[in-house]
Amino acid sequence: MQVIKTGFSGNKSNRVKEIAELTRNGKYTRIVEIFGGSCVISNNLLKEKIVEEAIANDYDHYFDNFEEHIHFKENFIEKLLKLGLEKSKERRMSKEHQEVVQNSLKDKDKNLLKYLSKNFVFSSKRAAAEIKIQDFIYFTNDITIEKDLEYIKHLKNVKLDSLDYKEFIEKYINAGDRKTLVVVDPPYLNSSQKQYGDEFFGLEKTIKLLNSLKEKRNDFIFFNQIKEDSIELLKLYDFNFEYNTRISYMSAGRKREDFMAHIRFSAVSKSEQ
């Protein structure tokens, strides 16, 4: 399986093959991502025909003008190279070149800045709730334009919507649907970044989210950070689940846990409904 991806802070491309296997084994034919992010899971599973339908919540409208952003980046980088800027992972741009980049981007929309940040912003800063223009101080390599174009070509087959997660759940998740696998990748409880749009997404919202999913009784995948805290949380609901963790390496040698659980519900008989 050839995984396609785009540069996106926190994307789950390293979990795609694992989730593809879970999907095949569970005989799921439909996948729904409540917090779409890069939509990398939906995009790959539909591309590989592992599912028949994929739906993802592009809450921030990140992909609304993605093709335009790809071509802007292509032209912008070409312009910078002609001005004599050199790509480097280690060195910051000179103050003069930082001003050139920042002045060129100061009036651009937030989703374009988020997309370009992979080229110009240090990785720890990219995880912030809002990309700041003053953080555009590096000029580095990232995924090529061709790969981004391939990604968006396939993503056009995924049904994207842009709703609050509660509205999205009600619209696209049918209670007890045994053919649908729901992917839940909310702001992490143990993360310093808990923004969801303009709201704070902490323990209270996570509990309400899990309550809603328990009522729906759809099998789902749940992502979080710290294993012990995540297991305790899921046990409160008496969920039937399997889990594993991986270590993700961040900038400056930092690392974090990447917790993933697969929660499964037994079928409800007609007498129980």
Side-chain angles (χ1 to χ4, degrees):
M1 178 180 182
Q2 186 66 41
V3 175
I4 57 172
K5 60 183 180 178
T6 185
F8 192 98
S9 179
N11 86 50
K12 288 292 182 291
S13 57
N14 64 340
R15 291 287 199 171
V16 167
K17 292 182 180 179
E18 184 178 358
I19 294 171
E21 184 178 357
L22 287 176
T23 304
R24 289 192 186 98
N25 292 342
K27 295 182 171 56
Y28 305 112
T29 59
R30 182 174 179 262
I31 191 156
V32 177
E33 289 192 80
I34 298 175
F35 302 86
S38 68
C39 308
V40 70
I41 298 169
S42 296
N43 204 10
N44 278 278
L45 267 59
L46 189 62
K47 174 181 74 76
E48 296 292 329
K49 296 182 171 56
I50 295 168
V51 294
E52 298 170 6
E53 182 183 23
I55 303 171
N57 192 10
D58 181 25
Y59 177 66
D60 294 321
H61 296 270
Y62 182 72
F63 289 106
D64 281 5
N65 300 302
F66 195 65
E67 281 189 87
E68 291 178 25
H69 294 169
I70 292 172
H71 294 301
F72 178 91
K73 181 172 83 167
E74 183 176 29
N75 294 329
F76 186 54
I77 289 178
E78 184 179 348
K79 171 187 171 183
L80 295 179
L81 292 173
K82 285 180 179 178
L83 289 174
L85 277 74
E86 295 181 356
K87 293 183 177 182
S88 171
K89 289 185 177 180
E90 291 81 23
R91 298 194 315 273
R92 296 185 179 191
M93 293 183 285
S94 67
K95 290 292 184 181
E96 178 186 355
H97 287 158
Q98 288 180 33
E99 288 181 9
V100 169
V101 169
Q102 292 171 12
N103 288 336
S104 298
L105 300 176
K106 62 182 179 182
D107 296 322
K108 302 302 180 185
D109 76 76
K110 65 178 183 179
N111 283 331
L112 174 59
L113 295 180
K114 186 174 182 178
Y115 174 57
L116 293 173
S117 67
K118 186 74 174 178
N119 276 92
F120 297 96
V121 178
F122 192 59
S123 58
S124 62
K125 299 286 187 180
R126 294 200 302 269
E130 183 178 348
I131 302 294
K132 297 178 180 178
I133 200 71
Q134 61 263 35
D135 292 327
F136 281 64
I137 59 177
Y138 293 88
F139 186 29
T140 65
N141 292 308
D142 76 335
I143 291 174
T144 65
I145 299 295
E146 290 75 19
K147 287 184 178 180
D148 284 334
L149 288 170
E150 180 190 10
Y151 191 85
I152 195 64
K153 179 186 76 173
H154 290 287
L155 191 63
K156 290 177 181 178
N157 297 318
V158 176
K159 179 175 177 53
L160 298 182
D161 208 339
S162 302
L163 299 172
D164 178 82
Y165 71 94
K166 297 183 290 294
E167 296 173 26
F168 187 86
I169 289 171
E170 291 307 311
K171 184 174 181 179
Y172 292 109
I173 299 178
N174 302 315
D177 180 359
R178 312 309 304 154
K179 294 295 184 181
T180 294
L181 178 64
V182 180
V183 178
V184 186
D185 187 17
Y188 294 161
L189 285 172
N190 307 98
S191 170
S192 59
Q193 160 50 12
K194 294 187 178 71
Q195 286 300 117
Y196 178 70
D198 297 325
E199 300 178 29
F200 178 81
F201 198 106
L203 180 60
E204 180 182 359
K205 280 189 168 57
T206 302
I207 288 172
K208 288 180 178 178
L209 170 65
L210 291 172
N211 281 335
S212 176
L213 293 169
K214 185 171 184 178
E215 289 176 6
K216 289 288 186 181
R217 295 184 60 84
N218 295 91
D219 292 0
F220 68 95
I221 288 173
F222 178 70
F223 288 104
N224 217 298
Q225 265 193 24
I226 306 300
K227 178 180 72 173
E228 287 78 9
D229 292 347
S230 302
I231 291 172
E232 279 192 20
L233 181 63
L234 294 177
K235 281 184 174 179
L236 288 175
Y237 294 87
D238 199 27
F239 284 142
N240 173 33
F241 67 95
E242 297 176 346
Y243 71 89
N244 65 60
T245 59
R246 293 183 181 180
I247 299 298
S248 298
Y249 289 92
M250 316 281 288
S251 58
R254 295 182 299 119
K255 59 184 181 180
R256 75 175 190 194
E257 285 184 72
D258 177 26
F259 174 89
M260 186 185 93
H262 180 207
I263 294 89
R264 290 176 293 180
F265 293 89
S266 59
V268 178
S269 67
K270 290 184 179 180
S271 61
E272 294 177 294
Q273 291 178 339

